Amino acid sequence: HALRGVDMEIDEGEFLVLLGPSGCGKSTLLNILGGLDQATAGTVMFRDIELTAMDERELTLYRREYIGFVFQFHHLLPDFTALENVIFPTAVKVGRETVAARARGRELLDRVGLGGRMEFLATQLSGGQKQRVAIARALMNQPELVLADEPTGNLDRESATQVMNLIGEINREEATSFLISTHDERIAEICRRQIRVLDGRVS
């Protein structure tokens, strides 16, 4: 079992971390909360929505409306500019690129300090800059919860601290909830609440 007897709640506007070693179940828990994986037992609720009762179409809509994702390897589209990568979730949602989406994308890139890199291709950006684009992309559809799986795992110490400080700033100013997984105690100290995961159990 990847997870065992997990019992936890996330409040609106929280900034919390899942802390534990590699292989302890952090990513599985994030994937279940994000509707990417289905729990084989138990109940997962988002407000009054029961994820464990949803089919794949309903889970797709849930992810699109409520959840933002930031991954360790950022998964940017290499042939797209920073701006095109950021607005991609909205383009998928409405079926086309809109003036409003471009305006929000520019605003978000300004917000993460990349106003001067909007038209750079993803391949022209540094690792830290790519992760900032990924954060902006995660915020594009104004999610209520952002799930970040080892978002600093591929970055040097200075870039990792900058990314975490940026996430904390967005959380405070926009009241977006963040749940971040890491095995780095120093990164975890930046978050306001820690949930420790070991052998699939949380404490």
Side-chain angles (χ1 to χ4, degrees):
H1 292 88
L3 299 169
R4 309 162 189 270
V6 172
D7 186 3
M8 59 179 283
E9 292 184 2
I10 302 171
D11 293 328
E12 186 174 349
E14 279 217 81
F15 182 39
L16 68 160
V17 66
L18 292 175
L19 182 62
S22 298
C24 70
K26 301 189 304 295
S27 294
T28 300
L29 182 53
L30 288 182
N31 287 345
I32 288 173
L33 294 175
L36 295 174
D37 290 337
Q38 280 276 35
T40 54
T43 302
V44 181
M45 301 291 296
F46 181 87
R47 297 193 183 280
D48 58 350
I49 303 168
E50 185 179 348
L51 272 63
T52 36
M54 288 181 171
D55 60 25
E56 191 51 49
R57 177 183 172 279
E58 291 169 325
L59 286 169
T60 298
L61 293 174
Y62 159 76
R63 289 191 295 269
R64 193 172 72 188
E65 294 297 323
Y66 299 108
I67 305 297
F69 295 96
V70 181
F71 302 100
Q72 178 177 351
F73 296 101
H74 48 72
H75 297 304
L76 299 184
L77 298 167
D79 296 327
F80 280 33
T81 65
L83 180 58
E84 289 168 338
N85 268 283
V86 171
I87 66 177
F88 186 73
T90 299
V92 170
K93 181 178 180 179
V94 302
R96 61 189 174 88
E97 186 180 299
T98 66
V99 173
R102 290 186 68 85
R104 175 156 174 80
R106 287 193 293 269
E107 176 189 335
L108 286 168
L109 284 169
D110 276 332
R111 180 72 183 78
V112 301
L114 291 176
R117 297 288 189 272
M118 292 187 192
E119 300 304 327
F120 281 46
L121 293 175
T123 53
Q124 297 174 304
L125 302 174
S126 70
Q129 289 170 341
K130 288 176 182 177
Q131 201 60 299
R132 286 169 178 263
V133 173
I135 292 168
R137 179 184 59 189
L139 296 169
M140 184 65 198
N141 285 343
Q142 298 179 296
E144 295 192 33
L145 173 64
V146 174
L147 302 171
D149 194 2
E150 298 278 3
T152 61
N154 250 10
L155 304 179
D156 59 58
R157 174 59 51 190
E158 183 179 355
S159 296
T161 300
Q162 289 173 352
V163 164
M164 286 301 299
N165 287 338
L166 171 63
I167 289 173
E169 203 173 281
I170 292 167
N171 166 258
R172 289 190 301 273
E173 295 181 4
E174 301 189 16
T176 304
S177 301
F178 281 85
L179 178 60
I180 301 155
S181 79
T182 185
H183 59 270
D184 190 331
E185 295 269 0
R186 290 170 294 184
I187 294 299
E189 288 173 2
I190 299 172
C191 298
R192 289 199 290 276
R193 179 158 74 101
Q194 297 182 6
I195 297 175
R196 294 186 176 269
V197 185
L198 185 62
D199 296 331
R201 301 182 185 278
V202 302
S203 61

